[in-house]
Amino acid sequence: RIVRDHRFRNHSSSFTLGHWLEVRDGEEKYIFPFQEMSDAIFNSSLPYELGVLGPLAAPLLEKVAKTDPSYPEARRLLEYLHFFRPVPKSEVPSNSILKEFIGGSSFEY
């Protein structure tokens, strides 16, 4: 979300982190109670996505000021990203749903 919000919505990491609780509240209210009633559930997570997103997100997270209320969360995420080896975004297929977050999708027009 941090990478996508920066790339496509021109939002800072601080802005995205500051709205994270609202996003989670929306999931709790509008998604999770109804997911078992759906005909299908599609898990779009990919084993390599944090390796792709990490190098893109880290510089954005590093810009969060120490005085910002979201600074502790930015630092926590940066520490977490150290556990993943970088994967070049050029390795992501053009039809991957991950391209929604990093750009370059074959579905863009």
Side-chain angles (χ1 to χ4, degrees), residues 22-70:
E22 292 173 38
V23 171
R24 293 293 297 157
D25 288 346
E27 289 176 330
E28 293 288 338
K29 186 175 181 181
Y30 300 111
I31 296 174
F32 299 144
F34 305 104
Q35 68 183 10
E36 297 304 320
M37 291 183 265
S38 66
D39 293 331
I41 296 173
F42 180 71
N43 180 351
S44 63
S45 66
L46 300 165
Y48 58 86
E49 69 185 29
L50 288 174
V52 174
L53 292 170
L56 301 171
L60 303 173
L61 291 166
E62 288 169 353
K63 291 181 181 178
V64 177
K66 289 183 179 183
T67 56
D68 191 299
S70 51

Side-chain angles (χ1 to χ4, degrees), residues 11-12 14 24 31 41 49 71 74 80 109:
H11 291 181
S12 68
S14 177
R24 293 293 297 157
I31 296 174
I41 296 173
E49 69 185 29
Y71 180 78
Y80 183 70
Y109 51 90

Side-chain angles (χ1 to χ4, degrees), residues 59-109:
L60 303 173
L61 291 166
E62 288 169 353
K63 291 181 181 178
V64 177
K66 289 183 179 183
T67 56
D68 191 299
S70 51
Y71 180 78
E73 182 65 6
R75 299 311 306 171
R76 186 188 72 78
L77 291 172
L78 279 167
E79 290 299 318
Y80 183 70
L81 290 174
H82 287 300
F83 291 106
F84 301 92
R85 290 182 186 213
V87 175
K89 64 182 184 175
S90 62
E91 296 293 318
V92 179
S94 65
N95 63 350
S96 171
I97 196 162
L98 184 56
K99 291 287 189 163
E100 173 190 347
F101 298 90
I102 64 173
S105 172
S106 60
F107 302 111
E108 290 180 27
Y109 51 90

